[in-house]
Every structure is written in structure tokens, then in C-alpha cells.
Amino acid sequence: MKPMKLIAAAVATMTMVSGAVAQTNLTAETASPGGATHLSLAHLTEVAGTSGVANIQLADGQTLTNSIQNVAEGKTDIAGTPYILPFLMSRGVGPYGSLGKEKGAELASNLRAINPFVLGIFFLFAYDSKGIGGWDDLKGRKIYNGPPRGGALTNARSMIQIVAGLKDGEDYEGMQINWGQGATLISSGEPDAVVLPELFPSPRLTIPSAAGKMTGWSMPIEAYESEAMQKYMKAPGSAPWTSSVASIQDVMGEDWSFVSEDDTFRAFATIGGNVVNKNMDDALVYDLVNVYIASLKDLMGKAPYGETVGYDFPMQGMCGANPIQYHPAAARAWREAGFEIDDCAVAQ
């Protein structure tokens, strides 16, 4: 995005709300603090209030499976979500099995995106002391690959199977533990390697690295470009992710090394965003997204991972099998600020 457009958006937004007192009261639900999901909505809560657009009562630490159903049913105004959840809701499967396909599809059709973020980037990493040689050196190893259940575990298992041709329980010993204990497990040295969705940086990367130097491996080019992986990365809530090795190295510091066949680090990301009900007032949605876009620089400066989680990439993970589309007023705000959003990503 061009700096002058961002400045213009900020000026226009502040002019619009100058001297205003927020009259609209909204409710919002998000994940626990510490990740891109929480930071995005916490920031929106702040700028919406200070600019006079809306007072948002934010509840964090919520189960997002329930949160987006609350938005779809009109019980909550805004919620964060990985985009796989609206997909499952639209089919009445998984955590939404009790809704059934018809009711699930009806509720999912009520959801509209307003802004994007990356929840985590799946890659392989290990302590240097473990002597791991990369993706082709995982057979027979102990690999921490997620919590006991859920999408992260499924994604990590699938990534290992597609890249390394190995199955959990047959070719390696998968280790699962709840998210809150992840950094402790890694620091214990019990797993030989780790495949998880992370941010650059996240506590599960920075805390264990205090106990020893670590290495992260890019997905091999052949595996990344394979038909199986390209198809997998197009699944709802997933998207290809690349970055220069140098930029990741700069963020992570001297305790980390990163390995790739060239200067690009390849992985896939879990994509999500904040959603509202399709019936939210157009002017309100436009104003909310406007003040959010105008303050993107501040948002990205609030966390070390702020530049890497796609806060300013509204097309990431959209269209295709993803049933979520942008609220028309949100899309208008993004487009007027100079961002590209394809028509397939905008609800009519």
C-alpha cells in the first residue's frame, strides 16, 4: 500500500469522527491474549473507541467455535475466527454437527469478514543439539505436533505426511499437549522435533530458544510445489506462505537459524479474520474498517510478529472453497485505501 494513501485514509477518517463521541455499543469475542487473533480485535476495540466510532465490549479467551455462531445468530457483533470454522458450519459438520447441514448453511451465510490475519505458520524446528537433518530425518523421531485434538494437529500431521511421507504412530511418535504447556514441553527436550503453527516470534519459539540454539526448516521446493501440497494449501482456512529467510532471521535473532534451498522460506499458514453479521449497518462497518486501516502501522508495531501476520493482506485465503466473503462496506473501505480485493471475495 502507498504511504500517501494510508495518510489520506487516516486524515479522512479522523476528519469524519473529529469531536465525535461514540454512541454505538458493540460486543466482541476473541481468543486469549498473545496471538494475532486477539491483537487484531483488541486494536480495533481501542481505535474504534478513541475515534468515536463505537464502544466495543471485548471478551477474550473465548471458544471461537461458539463465538462465530453467536455472531451468526445475532447475539454478538464481532468475533475472530480461523476460516475453517465457517466452512465447517456451512456443512453442519465437526463442532457444528448438531446444527445439521441446512441450519449450519443458513447460519454461515450470515457471516461477513471485515479484516484478515494469519493465526500461525506451520514449519519444522528443533534444537541444534538434537542433530536433526531436516524433513528427511524425521523417521523414528518423537515429534510434538499439536494439542490432543483439533485443526492444528490435523494440519501438522498432514504436512509431515505430504512433505516427509511419514504417518503419526507408524513412522514417528507424535506427541500432543495443550497449547499452554507447549513451551515447557519443547524446553524439556523430550521431543526431537516440532511441527506447529507459529508466529515469528511466538512464546513457543522464544522461550525454548533461551535453553539452546534452534533451527527451522523451510518446506522443500519440490514438496511445496507438489500437486498434493498445492491442493492442501487451498483448503478453507489455509494459504501458501512465503518470506525471505533474511527477514525471518532478523526478527528471530542469533539464537535461531533457518534452512532453505534458496533465499525463500516456504510454509503454509492458517488464515482467519474478524467477522460480523451480514446485517450490521453499512455505515458502521465502513467506519470501523476505516479507522482500523488508518492505524495499521500502529497495529503492526504492537507485537514483534506484527509485520508477518498479514494484517494488511485482505485477499489472503479468500475465494475458492472458503465460504467467507467481505461485508460490502468493509471491502469498500479496503479498496478506497488502495488495497486489492477481488470480486469473488465480496458478498453481493
Side-chain angles (χ1 to χ4, degrees), residues 215-219 245 257-262 264-265:
T215 295
W217 284 268
S218 168
M219 201 186 304
V245 173
S257 299
F258 293 91
V259 177
S260 177
E261 297 151 280
D262 54 16
T264 299
F265 196 90

Side-chain angles (χ1 to χ4, degrees), residues 130-348:
K130 291 293 183 178
I132 298 291
W135 286 100
D136 57 355
D137 190 23
L138 299 181
K139 188 175 180 64
R141 303 281 193 173
K142 290 184 178 180
I143 304 175
Y144 171 32
N145 55 3
R149 63 189 62 83
L153 176 61
T154 299
N155 282 332
R157 283 172 168 167
S158 298
M159 188 178 192
I160 296 168
Q161 185 167 349
I162 294 173
V163 176
L166 304 178
K167 292 185 178 181
D168 191 348
E170 297 180 16
D171 304 304
Y172 67 92
E173 181 183 342
M175 302 181 67
Q176 291 88 47
I177 197 168
N178 291 329
W179 288 123
Q181 301 169 282
T184 301
L185 176 63
I186 297 169
S187 299
S188 74
E190 186 176 358
D192 298 310
V194 184
V195 177
L196 292 177
E198 298 295 349
L199 301 176
F200 294 114
S202 74
R204 283 190 301 275
L205 299 184
T206 56
I207 293 174
S209 64
K213 292 186 178 298
M214 307 191 84
T215 295
W217 284 268
S218 168
M219 201 186 304
I221 295 175
E222 183 178 0
Y224 183 82
E225 295 180 348
S226 69
E227 182 179 352
M229 182 56 72
Q230 287 295 312
K231 182 178 180 180
Y232 193 84
M233 292 189 295
K234 292 178 182 177
S238 297
W241 188 90
T242 61
S243 176
S244 70
V245 173
S247 65
I248 300 175
Q249 188 68 67
D250 287 345
V251 171
M252 296 303 298
E254 61 183 14
D255 290 333
W256 279 83
S257 299
F258 293 91
V259 177
S260 177
E261 297 151 280
D262 54 16
D263 297 328
T264 299
F265 196 90
R266 297 169 178 82
F268 76 83
T270 300
I271 308 300
N274 290 316
V275 295
V276 299
N277 191 284
K278 67 179 182 181
N279 293 321
M280 181 176 281
D281 179 72
D282 284 5
L284 176 58
V285 172
Y286 180 81
D287 289 348
L288 285 170
V289 177
N290 235 352
V291 296
Y292 183 86
I293 294 170
S295 59
L296 278 172
K297 184 177 180 180
D298 290 340
L299 167 61
M300 291 188 285
K302 286 182 175 179
Y305 55 75
E307 299 280 351
T308 68
V309 293
Y311 286 139
D312 57 351
F313 190 4
M315 270 306 297
Q316 183 161 254
M318 302 303 289
C319 300
N322 183 4
I324 286 292
Q325 295 177 297
Y326 280 99
H327 191 291
R332 180 163 62 92
W334 282 103
R335 286 168 167 170
E336 288 180 0
F339 293 86
E340 293 186 8
I341 296 185
D342 297 344
D343 290 343
C344 63
V346 183
Q348 300 303 314

Side-chain angles (χ1 to χ4, degrees), residues 52-119:
V53 172
N55 292 314
I56 301 176
Q57 182 179 350
L58 179 63
D60 58 29
Q62 302 302 298
T63 301
L64 300 184
T65 304
N66 299 330
S67 297
I68 66 163
Q69 184 170 341
N70 289 338
V71 172
E73 293 174 343
K75 299 175 181 177
T76 298
D77 296 303
I78 313 171
T81 182
Y83 285 150
I84 185 62
L85 291 183
F87 174 79
L88 296 176
M89 179 186 285
S90 70
R91 282 157 174 72
V93 297
Y96 304 105
S98 61
L99 293 175
K101 185 174 182 179
E102 184 176 345
K103 183 63 175 179
E106 177 188 343
L107 288 176
S109 70
N110 290 335
L111 298 172
R112 298 290 184 268
I114 58 172
N115 65 276
F117 47 76
V118 170
L119 287 85

